[in-house]
Amino acid sequence: MRPSGQAPATSLPIGSDADLAWVRQQVRQYAAQLGFGLVQQTKLVTAASELARNTLVHGGGGQAEITALDDGRSRGLRMRFTDQGPGIRDLELAMTDGYTTGGGLGLGLSGAKRLVHEFHVDTEPGRGTTVTAVAWVTQVPSSRPGAG
């Protein structure tokens, strides 16, 4: 995977609810420019929203980095969320649907993972957390032969 020549990486601070809205807006803009369909754009914005909120609420703030990708065959988007918070004590438990430490639905990490093609969490208690999510533009299937 290498960054695409289409757009440089964008680094965005996450320190307030207003920053969460800015992250969502930037992800949608990148996704549209890269050719993601509307449903894919919505999935990316949803994943970004969940991960940015986790960065703010559980990590005490941090940053998001959004990068356009081109592997020579496909275009994609990498979103990396980094904080210097307390880290995730039990990652396996945190990735379980329904697990929450903040009173939410407990679908943040596991839900975000289902919305992208590649997902990686690097965390250690006391060291912070970095979550990387990658999605690739998928083509809409062409209509069936003989169909209208």
Side-chain angles (χ1 to χ4, degrees):
M1 230 178 344
R2 61 177 162 64
S4 160
Q6 292 181 346
T10 298
S11 184
L12 305 167
I14 300 174
S16 69
D17 283 340
D19 294 335
L20 301 180
W22 184 241
V23 168
R24 286 190 298 268
Q25 182 180 1
Q26 292 298 300
V27 167
R28 183 169 302 280
Q29 186 174 41
Y30 263 74
Q33 289 172 352
L34 287 165
F36 283 91
L38 186 57
V39 171
Q40 289 178 300
Q41 290 177 36
T42 302
K43 288 179 179 183
L44 283 169
V45 170
T46 301
S49 184
E50 292 293 336
L51 297 173
R53 180 158 296 285
N54 280 355
T55 299
L56 179 62
V57 172
H58 301 293
Q63 82 172 35
E65 181 182 275
I66 304 165
T67 308
L69 302 174
D70 185 341
D71 72 356
R73 296 182 319 274
S74 299
R75 292 179 318 280
L77 186 68
R78 178 176 59 219
M79 304 179 295
R80 182 170 287 143
F81 298 85
T82 305
D83 67 60
Q84 300 302 313
I88 301 171
R89 189 174 315 242
D90 185 341
L91 182 58
E92 186 175 340
L93 181 59
M95 292 297 298
T96 303
D97 284 349
Y99 176 77
T100 181
T101 60
L105 295 175
L107 297 173
L109 285 176
S110 61
K113 180 178 181 179
R114 283 192 297 273
L115 296 172
V116 297
H117 297 108
E118 302 168 26
F119 191 85
H120 179 74
V121 179
D122 180 18
T123 188
E124 187 176 307
R127 189 178 58 87
T129 301
T130 297
V131 178
T132 304
V134 176
W136 297 99
V137 176
T138 56
Q139 301 301 319
V140 176
S142 57
S143 56
R144 294 183 317 264

